Amino acid sequence: MKKIALFLSLIAAFGCKNAKKETEIKNKTENMTFYVGTYTKKDSKGIYKYAISPDGKLSKIGLMAEIINPTFLTKSKDHKTLFAVGETDTHGTGFISSFKIEKDSLQLLSKEKTGGAGPCFVAINNDNYVLTANYSGGNVGLLKADISGKLHPLLFVQQHSGKGTTNRQQRPHAHSAWFHPTKNEVISVDLGTNELWFSKIDKTKNELVFTNQKKLKMADGAGPRHLTFHPNNKWMYVLNELNNTVSLIKEKDNIYYIESTIPTLPSDFTDFSKAADIHISDDGKFLYTSNRGHESIAIFEVNAENGNLKNIGYEDVLGNHPRNFSLSPDNKFLLVANQDTNNIISFKRNTTTGKLTFVDEVFAPTPVCILF
C-alpha cells in the first residue's frame, strides 16, 4: 500500500509540475486583450476589442458592442462585467450600460441614467457601487450593480457648485470620481470648480456624504482632471489639464494638502497643450502623463522617500490628441489612444529606466479609452 501511495504522489507531483510549466508557456505566448472606448460621431460604432502579443504587436479583434460615445470603460472586480458611460445629453442626462463579458462579444445587461449630462468617467468598487462623473452636469452619480452585473436605477446625485478663474471654469465640470483604495472615501475631481471633493458612502441611505474637509482647492487655473494613487496608498497625484501640471497630494491628521507641483511640458514649449491622462507603474517608481498639443507622454521618476517627481523625458506618441493611455497588466507595455489620428500605439517599457520604445501601431476609430 505504501508503494502505491508513493507512486500516486509522484504522479500527482509530476502532473502539477507539468501543469505549471504549461501555464508559464501559455502566459509567455498568449496575447493579452483589451477594450477600446470611442467617440461614435464619425466612423466608430461603439466598443472594440484588440490584442497585444507578448512582443508588443497590436491586432484588431472587432466590434464588441454598439453604443453611442462609450468614452470611458471599467470592469467589475471579478472581470465578468464591463461598464461603459454613454457621453450624451439626452433630456439632460447621460447613460451608463453594463455588459456581460463573453469571449467574442459583450452582452448588454442593463442601461441606466447617470444623473447628469456628458458622463465621461466611471469607476466601481468591491461592493459594486458605481460612480459616474458627469462633465456637463457638474455632478457625480452613484449607482449599484447586483452580482450579475445588472445596474439598479440611479441612487443619488451629488451636485457640485462654484467656479474657477478661466473660461472653462465658469461652472462645475466633474471630470472623474475615484474610490480610495483603502478606506470608505470618494474623491471627485472637478475641473470647473478647480477642486477635489471628498465624500463617504452612507451605505444605509445609499448616498454620498461630504467629509469634514469636503474640498481641496487647486492652484488658480489648474483645472484638475484625473488622478492616480501611489501603490503605498498614502500619496495621490492629480493631473491638472489646464495648466499642464501634476500635483502631489498628501494627508496629515485626516486633511489633504498639496505637497508639490511639477509641469508636464518642457520649459521651452510655448504652443497650446492640455494634459489628459495619468498612470503610475505598479512598483511606484515611474509616473506617466499624456499631453495633447505637445503630443507626448511625459515620463517622471518617483522619489521613493517623499513621492516628489522628477521629469526624465518625453516620448512622441506618433499621433495627435493622446486622450487616454494604459499600462499593460504586466507593466511591460504602455498603449496610447490617439483620438484625432485614429491610431493606438504600443511602446515597450523599460522597467528599470521607465523609458519607452515604439513597437507597433494599429488603426482604431476615434479611440479615447483603453481598458485591459
Side-chain angles (χ1 to χ4, degrees):
M1 290 294 291
K2 289 183 178 179
K3 289 183 178 179
I4 293 173
L6 179 60
F7 179 70
L8 291 175
S9 65
L10 287 172
I11 291 176
F14 181 75
C16 289
K17 187 176 181 180
N18 273 358
K20 184 179 180 181
K21 190 173 182 179
E22 287 175 4
T23 301
E24 289 175 351
I25 293 172
K26 184 179 180 182
N27 289 339
K28 288 180 180 178
T29 59
E30 193 175 65
N31 290 350
M32 291 181 286
T33 59
F34 58 94
Y35 294 94
V36 176
T38 66
Y39 274 115
T40 55
K41 300 171 183 177
K42 296 180 180 179
D43 300 323
S44 174
K45 294 183 179 180
I47 302 170
Y48 294 82
K49 191 175 184 180
Y50 287 76
I52 181 171
S53 70
D55 58 359
K57 298 294 184 181
L58 300 171
S59 58
K60 180 180 177 181
I61 296 174
L63 178 67
M64 295 292 109
E66 291 196 25
I67 175 177
I68 298 174
N69 293 341
T71 59
F72 207 89
L73 316 173
T74 195
K75 285 181 183 177
S76 58
K77 300 306 177 182
D78 61 10
H79 291 268
K80 294 180 179 179
T81 309
L82 182 145
F83 298 87
V85 295
E87 193 173 327
T88 60
D89 183 8
T90 305
H91 305 298
T93 187
F95 294 89
I96 177 173
S97 300
S98 67
F99 298 87
K100 182 179 180 182
I101 297 175
E102 303 283 3
K103 183 178 180 181
D104 298 316
S105 65
L106 294 172
Q107 300 296 324
L108 181 66
L109 293 172
S110 60
K111 181 179 178 181
E112 296 292 341
K113 295 178 180 179
T114 63
C120 58
F121 190 90
V122 58
I124 187 169
N125 71 358
N126 290 328
D127 295 325
N128 279 349
Y129 278 105
V130 176
L131 297 170
T132 64
N134 302 306
Y135 183 84
S136 299
N139 53 36
V140 173
L142 178 68
L143 302 94
K144 196 170 186 181
D146 63 24
I147 193 169
S148 73
K150 182 179 179 181
L151 288 160
H152 297 292
L154 182 69
L155 297 172
F156 184 76
V157 177
Q158 181 188 81
Q159 183 62 51
H160 294 176
S161 60
K163 64 179 182 177
T165 57
T166 71
N167 290 335
R168 285 192 57 193
Q169 297 178 307
Q170 295 306 296
R171 58 191 179 94
H173 290 304
H175 218 309
S176 60
W178 309 77
F179 293 102
H180 193 285
T182 61
K183 56 183 177 178
N184 176 26
E185 188 171 70
V186 170
I187 301 103
S188 304
V189 184
D190 197 303
L191 182 147
T193 70
N194 204 51
E195 297 162 323
L196 307 184
W197 296 62
F198 304 104
S199 311
K200 292 183 178 181
I201 298 177
D202 183 328
K203 296 182 180 180
T204 302
K205 297 181 180 180
N206 285 324
E207 295 179 355
L208 291 173
V209 180
F210 289 122
T211 66
N212 290 334
Q213 181 175 3
K214 187 177 179 178
K215 297 187 290 185
L216 174 64
K217 185 179 183 298
M218 307 304 289
D220 285 348
R225 177 185 174 98
H226 281 190
L227 63 78
T228 189
F229 297 94
H230 190 279
N232 66 14
N233 296 323
K234 297 178 181 179
W235 307 328
M236 288 189 295
Y237 297 92
V238 175
L239 181 71
N240 301 302
E241 175 181 333
L242 301 185
N243 73 354
N244 299 291
T245 62
V246 179
S247 295
L248 168 59
I249 309 296
K250 292 185 178 181
E251 187 179 10
K252 184 178 181 180
D253 298 328
N254 295 318
I255 298 295
Y256 290 103
Y257 64 95
I258 301 172
E259 170 72 13
S260 60
T261 299
I262 188 172
T264 66
L265 296 172
S267 58
D268 60 352
F269 183 81
T270 57
D271 292 339
F272 178 77
S273 190
K274 53 184 178 178
D277 201 12
I278 182 170
H279 294 282
I280 193 169
S281 57
D282 288 347
D283 59 12
K285 293 181 178 179
F286 299 99
L287 182 138
Y288 303 85
T289 68
S290 57
N291 295 310
R292 297 169 293 176
H294 189 247
E295 315 301 5
S296 67
I297 297 293
I299 308 169
F300 300 90
E301 187 176 42
V302 182
N303 185 308
E305 294 183 1
N306 56 31
N308 286 330
L309 301 177
K310 176 185 177 182
N311 182 280
I312 57 173
Y314 299 90
E315 188 65 38
D316 192 316
V317 296
L318 305 174
N320 296 333
H321 210 80
R323 167 73 170 257
N324 176 249
F325 67 94
S326 180
L327 293 170
S328 60
D330 59 9
N331 274 217
K332 292 180 180 179
F333 298 96
L334 187 147
L335 277 61
V336 182
N338 290 318
Q339 178 180 333
D340 290 352
T341 44
N342 302 307
N343 62 344
I344 295 173
I345 305 294
S346 69
F347 294 99
K348 177 72 174 177
R349 197 178 78 89
N350 187 314
T351 56
T352 302
T353 66
K355 296 299 182 69
L356 306 173
T357 304
F358 169 75
V359 178
D360 200 16
E361 173 183 7
V362 68
F363 171 82
T366 324
V368 289
C369 183
I370 294 174
L371 175 69
F372 279 95

